[in-house]
Amino acid sequence: MTSEPTASSDGRGDILAELTAVLAGVVHADPDRVDPEQPFSVLGLDSLLTVEFVSAITQHFGVRIAGADLYEYATPALLARHLAALRRGADDAPAVQDPGAAAAVLEVLRHQLARILHCDPWEIEGGTAFAELGIDSILAADFAAGVNRAYGLSERPVTVHEHPSLAAMAAYIASRTRGTPASTAPDTRSNAPTAAPAPQQPPAIAAEKRPTLSQEEVVALLDAVRGDRIGVDEAAALLANRSA
């Protein structure tokens, strides 16, 4: 006698059943005929239906995934395990002790997101899911990078998927930073390095000046030329070097 299968202790069985039902609704199939071990491409998902499926997952489970996740978790069974992990991560997130810190972070993140979406910050509601705002995997990476710069963190883009709204993301960041952004002001301490002054060009060394030939020396030089003791070119060079 075999026992009926039960849901796993982490709720993954329930998630798989719900995920299968969501997928069946998207591809217009009977949930009982969806094999959770088959790839999504075999189960009828194309590029357009993938977008619809990802949006449906966000609405149903309250977690955000990217379309690219369907390549990494290519079957309903694998994706259900991933969704269970995302849910555990959201449940285990530390609570924010100071609501004011979360509110402060929310405003910083709102401006970060507005920059990415090219809109005014006041147009973004804190509770709106990132999926509804059009945040895909590329924009999520950009958003995560901006958050890291603002708060000195090293969060990965998956953090945006695990906290799928501006309010949820703000609460998480506030729990890690107490709402205090990383300082971006330049270091003005007295021992801070300063720009080295431009090197000064060394002054040109003045050519050594020799006294001009006296009349007696000129006569002696001419006598040397006449007596072939010195060449004409040498005499001319000597005269040029000793000219005033």
Side-chain angles (χ1 to χ4, degrees):
M1 178 176 178
T2 59
S3 59
E4 292 294 325
T6 58
S8 60
S9 60
D10 62 2
R12 195 165 58 224
D14 293 338
I15 291 179
L16 178 58
E18 295 173 23
L19 180 64
T20 301
V22 171
L23 176 62
V26 172
V27 299
H28 304 291
D30 183 349
D32 294 334
R33 298 180 66 87
V34 175
D35 184 350
E37 301 297 334
Q38 291 293 321
F40 289 113
S41 57
V42 174
L43 297 174
L45 276 188
D46 56 19
S47 57
L48 293 178
L49 291 179
T50 293
V51 176
E52 183 180 343
F53 182 45
V54 168
S55 178
I57 288 174
T58 299
Q59 294 178 4
H60 185 88
F61 293 100
V63 295
R64 173 78 168 103
I65 67 170
D69 291 338
L70 271 63
Y71 295 96
E72 183 174 356
Y73 309 99
T75 69
L78 292 175
L79 185 59
R81 296 190 187 98
H82 179 54
L83 292 175
L86 292 181
R87 275 189 164 181
R88 286 197 304 273
D91 292 340
D92 294 341
V96 179
Q97 300 298 322
D98 183 5
V105 173
L106 179 63
E107 290 309 306
V108 174
L109 299 193
R110 196 193 305 274
H111 282 78
Q112 290 277 357
L113 197 57
R115 175 188 60 80
I116 294 172
L117 297 177
H118 304 288
C119 67
D120 291 325
W122 57 265
E123 298 182 52
I124 305 175
E125 294 290 340
T128 303
F130 289 134
E132 297 180 28
L133 296 173
I135 301 297
D136 56 17
S137 57
I138 295 177
L139 295 181
D142 190 4
F143 182 46
V147 172
N148 289 337
R149 287 193 300 270
Y151 289 95
L153 299 174
S154 56
E155 296 292 337
R156 298 176 58 195
V158 70
T159 304
V160 181
H161 305 318
E162 294 172 348
H163 306 281
S165 73
L166 202 58
M169 188 72 172
Y172 170 72
I173 297 300
S175 71
R176 295 205 57 195
T177 64
R178 298 182 180 178
T180 304
S183 175
T184 57
D187 192 353
T188 56
R189 294 173 297 176
S190 59
N191 60 347
T194 56
Q200 298 293 326
Q201 295 295 330
I205 299 176
E208 182 182 356
K209 288 187 176 182
R210 298 180 180 180
T212 58
L213 294 175
S214 65
Q215 185 175 359
E216 291 78 6
E217 289 174 322
V218 171
V219 172
L221 182 60
L222 292 176
D223 288 341
V225 171
R226 294 190 193 101
D228 289 332
R229 296 190 302 273
I230 188 173
V232 175
D233 292 338
E234 293 177 275
L238 181 57
L239 286 171
N241 189 41
R242 301 288 290 271
S243 62

